[in-house]
Amino acid sequence: MPEGVTREAGIMQSLWNGAWIAALGVGVVVWGLIIWASLFHRKRKNSPDSLPPQVRYNLPIEILYTTVPIIMVAVFFYFTARDETEVLKVSANPDVKVKVEGFQWSWRFTTEYDGKKVQVVGTPAQRPELVLPVDQKVQFELNSKDVAHSFWVPAFLFKLDVLPGLTNRFEVTTLNKPSTYVGRCAELCGVDHSRMLFTVKLVPQAEYDRYVSTQAGSAQ
């Protein structure tokens, strides 16, 4: 996988690109039919006829414009369902587990790694920083204390709803490029929604081990 791209992000990017290619193909066909109908099935200048020649009950054409959209929708559904199933798949033993709790208007991250726990709590004025190792499988468990939120790290090309009374889970293999990435709530959740920001800091494995050892058991 290229540097800075997760496996899950690659799947989503492939689905996105395929959808755009298919949409452009459909657009070309539709535009072509519109232009063809406009040029060849319009009333001619100085024609004595009040209307251009009318065509009715063309069974082959009616079957065509009924079956082709059905096939197209079925193909779109298949690839979307296939990729959604793949990116929402979670394993029994990820390298790191992160419990994400959304609340008005910030985040609480509780990380479990190697039998140790690190908790980070943010405020609208102080965005929390979630530290994770590069190129490792991380499972996120999402819960909300109050209203609907949405956990989104744009660099991961993935977001998922954080809902009260419901636990959502997803798993990503983190990027293999150490850096700091911006995260935010993608669901309008109240007056300070725009301040529900956080950062994800990806560090080398050795640095992550030291971080967990020094921060385990403390709430930042």
Side-chain angles (χ1 to χ4, degrees), residues 11-219:
I11 293 173
M12 298 303 292
Q13 188 68 61
S14 176
L15 179 63
W16 177 258
N17 292 343
W20 268 107
I21 291 171
L24 287 173
V26 171
V28 169
V29 173
V30 171
W31 299 328
L33 290 173
I34 291 173
I35 293 171
W36 175 74
S38 300
L39 292 177
F40 298 102
H41 292 276
R42 62 188 178 88
K43 182 181 178 182
R44 301 297 178 181
K45 187 176 181 181
N46 301 322
S47 172
D49 300 323
S50 59
L51 291 172
Q54 302 297 294
V55 178
R56 301 175 62 187
Y57 306 118
N58 190 314
L59 187 58
I61 292 180
E62 292 179 9
I63 292 174
L64 181 67
Y65 66 58
T66 301
T67 56
V68 169
I70 291 175
I71 293 172
M72 290 170 56
V73 170
V75 172
F76 284 141
F77 177 82
Y78 166 77
F79 284 107
T80 301
R82 183 199 65 180
D83 291 349
E84 181 182 8
T85 300
E86 184 63 27
V87 298
L88 290 179
K89 189 183 299 181
V90 295
S91 59
N93 296 298
D95 299 309
V96 182
K97 287 185 177 181
V98 180
K99 184 178 181 181
V100 177
E101 296 175 88
F103 57 90
Q104 294 180 312
W105 286 273
S106 194
W107 305 89
R108 178 184 290 107
F109 301 125
T110 305
T111 302
E112 295 182 28
Y113 171 74
D114 197 25
K116 303 181 182 69
K117 287 187 178 183
V118 176
Q119 188 177 95
V120 180
V121 185
T123 67
Q126 182 64 46
R127 65 183 67 178
E129 182 176 72
L130 175 62
V131 181
L132 295 173
V134 297
D135 203 24
Q136 295 296 316
K137 190 176 293 184
V138 179
Q139 186 178 120
F140 294 91
E141 180 183 295
L142 312 178
N143 294 277
S144 171
K145 293 180 61 177
D146 37 51
V147 300
H149 302 283
S150 182
F151 181 79
W152 184 31
V153 182
F156 291 174
L157 293 186
F158 198 98
K159 66 180 177 180
L160 195 62
D161 286 341
V162 186
L163 303 172
L166 179 67
T167 298
N168 282 333
R169 292 181 177 85
F170 75 97
E171 195 169 283
V172 297
T173 301
T174 54
L175 306 173
N176 52 18
K177 180 181 180 181
S179 187
T180 299
Y181 302 90
V182 175
R184 56 177 59 91
C185 175
E187 186 79 31
L188 183 60
C189 58
V191 65
D192 272 337
H193 158 72
S194 62
R195 302 177 72 189
M196 282 195 67
L197 305 174
F198 62 94
T199 57
V200 177
K201 183 178 181 181
L202 298 184
V203 299
Q205 186 65 53
E207 183 178 341
Y208 185 71
D209 291 336
R210 291 194 298 272
Y211 166 80
V212 172
S213 297
T214 57
Q215 300 296 331
S218 65

